[in-house]
Amino acid sequence: MSVNEKIVSDLVANNVNFVTTVPCKQLAGVIDLIEKSPDLKHVPSNKEDEGMGLCAGAFMGGMRPAIIMQNTAIGVTINTLVTLTQYYRMPLPMLISYRGELGEPVACQVEMAVHTKALLAQLHIPTYHFHKEEDVEELDAILKHSFMCNKPVAILTDASFWKGY
Amino acid sequence: MVRSDVLKEIASILRDQLVVCNIGLPSQELHLIDDQPTNFYMLGTMGLASSIGLGLAMAQPKKVISIDGDGSVLTNFGTLPTIANNTTDNFILLIIDNGSYGSTGDQPTYAGQKTSLTAVAKACGCDNVIECDAADTGKVLQEALDGDKMTIIVCKCESGNVKVPVITMDPVTIRDRFMGAVKS
Ligand SMILES: [Mg+2]
């Protein structure tokens, strides 16, 4: 099973059924599988805070949401995470492309990478860093954790995990 | 008519529907006029009433009305293409367009100047976009509910606010009560 297949199969096994995405090169393969999965309703969004609004609505309607985005989106979504997802206490697994880590060819991406973990820590968001391929084994438990405690959780997936892009 | 007059006018129609209400004065006014478990009040996060409502409508079969404002739609313009391209026939977006940022002191919005939200919604691909005068909102909203088609209503009204208390209900209580109403 490829990493992309493992991610989608863990989402489905955890009854995640609503996924919104803002694309990233590293996540292209998994987004493609999400679009094709008959078990996942896929709604692409134009901005990550909009996507979190969709996820909040889907959750209140009885679905189990997740969002896929880049770490640059942490800068975009702090207000939404704090005043919607956390304030109303809702679960939200965030599968995040951790751009700007080792192997990154685009210098500007590093500027947000150096703030990513500090921002997530400041927001008290449980954060997991997938660096080696076998780290994906923890995804199942992370998804369960988010829905158990009704909190957003961040899964940072870097270029080493994706073996470049 | 100002926004609170419109809300008073349509309160009896809203009562039995799932309503996602915009941050600030719209939620405070609706809460004062007719608090219902079927109302989800946004206490923060300007701009996302339409996104939350669309997600909710996609997730379950009951009708959902998002009450939004012109300023909030301008804040989250990306919502209109998402709505247009994900037709959800149990979803109604009611934009109360008073041409101003009401909750912050009635500063003018661009929607009250050269930008037509009706034209923007149509250009984004939304199929049923109806612009109406404030006095006709109840009739247009009822027709949209009866029509079983995703509808965007742009209600043109005057700017102006009435004094209303803030909502002191706990957010988790609002959410829990609302989810109970969604399920019932
Ligand atoms: Mg306004």
Side-chain angles (χ1 to χ4, degrees), chain B residues 53-65:
Chain B
L54 180 65
L56 175 64
M58 285 175 172
Q60 54 77 54
K62 289 184 182 173
K63 303 221 167 165
V64 177
I65 301 167

Side-chain angles (χ1 to χ4, degrees), chain B residues 5 27 39 130 152 169 179:
Chain B
D5 299 321
S27 270
N39 294 346
I130 302 166
I152 318 291
M169 212 187 309
M179 287 178 74

Side-chain angles (χ1 to χ4, degrees), chain B residues 3 22 26 68-72 95-103 106-107 109 111 157 159:
Chain B
R3 180 192 51 247
N22 192 19
D68 220 334
D70 51 315
S72 290
I95 305 169
I96 301 185
D97 179 0
N98 61 1
S100 76
Y101 291 104
S103 296
D106 274 335
Q107 297 86 356
T109 67
C157 74
S159 66

